[in-house]
Amino acid sequence: MIVAGGSYLEVCVRPEWRRLFGSGLRAACAISRLSPGTELHTYGYAGWADDIRHTAAAFGCRAHVQPVDYPIWFSYDYPLSSARLHPSGIGPSTALSVQGKTVLRFGFVEGDAVVQAERAVFDPQSNDPSEPFGANGSRADQLALVLNEAEAAGTLGSFDPDALMSRHGAAVLVVKRGPRGAIVYQVGDDPIEIPVYRSETVFKIGSGDVFSAAFALHWGERAIDAATAADIASKSVAHFVDGHALPLPESLNHGGPARNAAR
């Protein structure tokens, strides 16, 4: 599988945490055992480029790094606090060009990725989720969107899953709802509620990256139905937040029954 996403420094005050990960590098490392030969397309501060490549290689991934001239990092007071971006007002870099059978595309701080794929999963993260997937020239035969609840609520003035999927040309929309699990919307079908799974501890930084990575692997690469893929992604998050454990094990890949939710 191919991941197009950022590589950023993450700093947390309590518990003390300082790691070079970001959405793209973390997602690639998360699925590396389950998708041998995973590739990452990312930007990276020139002084960190070798570290990004070495980290990816340690997990069995190959990282293609387009250097940028400045370090980008996120700071947290604690894992459940909001992230602060440093520096602010970052100018755009030349877009990455990514082509493959299955591609997970994240939103970037410093640029963008133009994707050509048979199956693509798009997680815009902090970028405007109402901007269509194809607005930058990206194309996919089948597309799934992954948004958190706040992003979904802020799209198009009000949340209309059918309109949002139509705007992006997506067949699937997954809305993450934190401790209330997720809901999977599909064109022509009733929405399906996905449960959240218990973990002994919670280190939340990066949990959304892992959800999107696991969903993209199972829905995109393995062609598992969207509800089952989202259920596995929810289990993957519970595994990850309990000690920040990477890569994801194969033992999580047994989706439980999902139940219908009222629309």
Side-chain angles (χ1 to χ4, degrees):
M1 199 171 90
I2 296 175
V3 177
S7 298
Y8 310 118
L9 181 66
E10 300 163 347
V11 180
C12 184
V13 175
R14 184 175 299 177
E16 186 176 351
W17 166 265
R18 186 182 180 89
R19 296 289 190 279
L20 179 57
F21 265 120
S23 53
L25 182 56
R26 179 179 285 106
C29 292
I31 60 171
S32 59
R33 182 183 297 169
L34 306 176
S35 181
T38 293
E39 295 189 14
L40 169 66
H41 291 257
T42 188
Y43 301 95
Y45 171 51
W48 297 342
D50 284 343
D51 292 331
I52 294 168
R53 295 186 187 100
H54 292 159
T55 297
F59 282 87
C61 306
R62 182 181 179 188
H64 307 271
V65 183
Q66 181 167 307
V68 294
D69 296 332
Y70 37 82
I72 300 173
W73 56 291
F74 289 90
S75 63
Y76 304 80
D77 293 327
Y78 52 92
L80 293 173
S81 67
S82 298
R84 295 182 294 268
L85 171 64
H86 311 271
S88 59
I90 297 168
S93 301
T94 303
L96 306 176
S97 180
V98 181
Q99 186 171 3
K101 185 174 181 180
T102 305
V103 178
L104 168 59
R105 172 188 158 194
F106 288 103
F108 289 89
V109 170
E110 69 277 52
D112 204 357
V114 179
V115 167
Q116 307 290 329
E118 292 181 20
R119 280 196 167 198
V121 173
F122 181 32
D123 181 348
Q125 298 200 325
S126 59
N127 292 346
D128 181 3
S130 67
E131 181 175 313
F133 171 77
N136 70 349
S138 291
R139 296 290 182 269
D141 295 337
Q142 296 185 69
L143 174 65
L145 301 175
V146 178
L147 303 176
N148 64 39
E149 200 166 25
E151 291 166 342
T155 57
L156 306 178
S158 62
F159 177 56
D160 182 335
D162 292 326
L164 186 57
M165 286 188 285
S166 177
R167 184 178 181 84
H168 285 268
V172 178
L173 167 64
V174 182
V175 178
K176 300 174 294 180
R177 304 188 298 161
R180 294 180 293 120
I183 295 182
V184 176
Y185 300 90
Q186 299 182 79
V187 174
D189 290 338
D190 291 332
I192 298 175
E193 184 177 337
I194 306 301
V196 68
Y197 290 92
R198 179 186 177 92
S199 62
E200 294 300 319
T201 61
V202 177
F203 188 93
K204 185 178 178 294
I205 297 172
S207 59
D209 309 333
V210 170
F211 185 100
S212 293
F215 178 80
L217 170 73
H218 293 287
W219 177 82
E221 184 168 279
R222 296 185 173 181
I224 294 173
D225 70 271
T228 301
D231 189 76
I232 297 171
S234 185
K235 292 178 180 177
S236 299
V237 168
H239 170 82
F240 168 75
V241 299
D242 194 3
H244 205 266
L246 294 175
L248 297 171
E250 187 72 46
S251 60
L252 299 171
N253 301 340
H254 304 286
R259 58 188 185 277
N260 288 333
R263 193 157 193 174

